[in-house]
Structures are given as structure tokens and as C-alpha cells.
Amino acid sequence: MPHASIHDAAHGVTLDEIYHARARIKGQVSRTPLWHSRALSERFAAEVYLKLENLQPTGAFKLRGVTNMIAALIERHGHDALAKGVTTASTGNHGRAVAYAASRLGVPAVICLSTLVPANKVAAIEALGATVTRIGQSQDDAFEEARRLVKEEGMTLIPPFDDPLIAAGQGTIGLELLEDQPDLDRVILGLSGGGLLGGTGAALKAIRPQLNVTGVSLSAGAAMFESLTAGHPVAVEEVESLGDSLGGGIGLDNRCTFALVRDVMDDHFQVSENAIANAMVDMLEQEKMLVEGAAVVGLAALEEHQIDIKGQKVALVLSGNGVSLETLDQARQLVKR
């Protein structure tokens, strides 16, 4: 895909903004390790690294963007900006990050989730003191409730992806990747709303333009990829998946991440449920890490599509650990078939 200039991009996610984000989140978000995987390196005849975002305090990368946005709002408007509480719609990990940040600030939080969000993610959000509202069969349905809370009750919306402050926060992953391995050839990330891939890709492309940014989506309900193919945001049906964090739409009024992903992503793959299941089991058995389906789609794509990375330095972003033993058992059953 052709790349526009990251420095003057209309979506507002510049390298300067990503560095500002890093300063805001310092001390509140973990600088996660980049771990060399001997097993995967031998399997693919490459140098394969795992970016361990599953080690964040909330178990997923989402804390970066949430922390940056809340800190920026307080910088600009003071604590009064959050006086009536915060709300969002989420597939789980973002909601947990918002609940975590709200609990530290002592402000109320209402997290709107669709009925497709797994029970373990609902419980994790409620454990942080937030109120959970279950509504509808998609993230778009949940968003309608979040917007109502903003309009009628004056709460502050912390969007899950489509905001420059959120994407810039996620972009701090890109800074860390290139500080730890300056000569990376490829970074593979899950693609859903585009905050992770867009923000991280913006940092990577601004610093090392020749690096390949690879996105991976579910085989069904790939809203961002379908939108890029159509040339504008489109609605897709949300389906149950082992990679549930990659579900949900991008918003028909998307103002940031659609253009951002279009500018920074080089190639894209979709992965099947069987491939995700195999990757989840591989990650547990070989790397001794229990991570969610959305976190292993990079490995799933390498296997299912036989992507040639021989001789390259490649980083896979393990985006989160929000998986229940029940979901892991489902993955194991698929692997056995």
C-alpha cells in the first residue's frame, strides 16, 4: 500500500505526538520486554522476537492509549474533565484499561460491552470497581449506550481506538521495538480497530521506513480490512472467535485509524480459527505463555500462510493475556480435530 508522510498526516498521529505520549505514560505503564524466541527462530530460520504486552498491569497493550488520553485531558482541562466519570465501549481489554485508570483516579467508570464479550473479561473489569453494561450483539451496539451516557449524563468518552491520543499511546510500542532491535525487518500485529497497528506502525515507519508492517485479521468480521478494500469504512457482522479482541467495527464515521492504517500497513493476512487455536497451544507449550487468541495471530499467519521470513529479524506483538481456561480448552479441542 502507498505510504503518505507520517509527519504531516491528517490523522494527527505524528512521531512527535508519540514521543509526547511516552512522556505522559512513563511510570504508569510498563516498558515491556522484547523476548527472543529460540524455538520460533529455529522453526522459521529467522530471528523472531516476542513483544510481551501481555505483561502490562491490565494484561494488554490498551493501557498505553487509555493512560495517554486521560493524562492529556487532565493537562488540557484539569481534573474537572473527568468529574462525572468515564465511559467506553470495548471488546474487553480496553474496558479493563479504562476501569484500571479510573480506579486509580477515583472516578466512576461505566464500561459498555456486547453480549459476545467473554465472561472472564467482564469479571476482570468488574473486579476493578467499574460498572459493566451488557447490551446488543456487537461493539457498535455497545457504543450507542456509551454515547448516550456522554450525552445524557455528561460522562467523558475514552474511545477504544479511533482517536489520535489513543493511537499515539499505542505507538509507544513502536519506539520500544526499535530501541531494543533497531534493525528489525518486519513487525506483525493484530488488526481490528487500528489503534495498535496504526499507532505502532506510525512510529516504526517514521523511524525506519523500510520496515514491513504486517496486519493480521480474523477470517470473518475483519472490519478494517473490508473497509480498506472498499475504500471507506463499512459495517461487518461481528462473530464469535477465539480472537475475540479483534472483533467489532471501526465506525462508519471513523476519523483517525482508517487513514492511519491505510498509510502505514504494507501487507495483510486473515487467519482461520484452526490457525489461531494451533498458535495458542504452541505459545503455551513452547513458550510457556498463556495468551489470548488475538495475541497469537502473528504466529497463526506465519504458519497458515507460510510467510517467508527466512533470514529476517521479525517481531510479533503479543497483545494481551485475557484468555480463560474454557477458551483454551476450546482451542485444544480444535487442535485435536
Side-chain angles (χ1 to χ4, degrees), residues 242 273-286 288-291 293 296 323-337:
L242 292 171
E273 292 297 296
N274 282 342
I276 295 172
N278 278 306
M280 289 176 69
V281 173
D282 277 355
M283 199 61 67
L284 180 60
E285 292 182 344
Q286 295 190 16
K288 308 308 177 188
M289 282 189 286
L290 179 60
V291 293
V296 299
V323 60
S324 67
L325 292 178
E326 179 184 6
T327 302
L328 178 63
D329 187 57
Q330 292 173 8
R332 283 173 164 163
Q333 293 302 316
L334 281 175
V335 170
K336 289 177 182 179
R337 290 175 189 170

Side-chain angles (χ1 to χ4, degrees), residues 104-127:
R104 294 184 67 180
L105 289 168
V107 301
V110 178
I111 312 301
C112 303
L113 307 174
S114 84
T115 55
L116 293 180
V117 175
N120 66 297
K121 294 189 175 184
V122 177
I125 292 169
E126 291 178 330

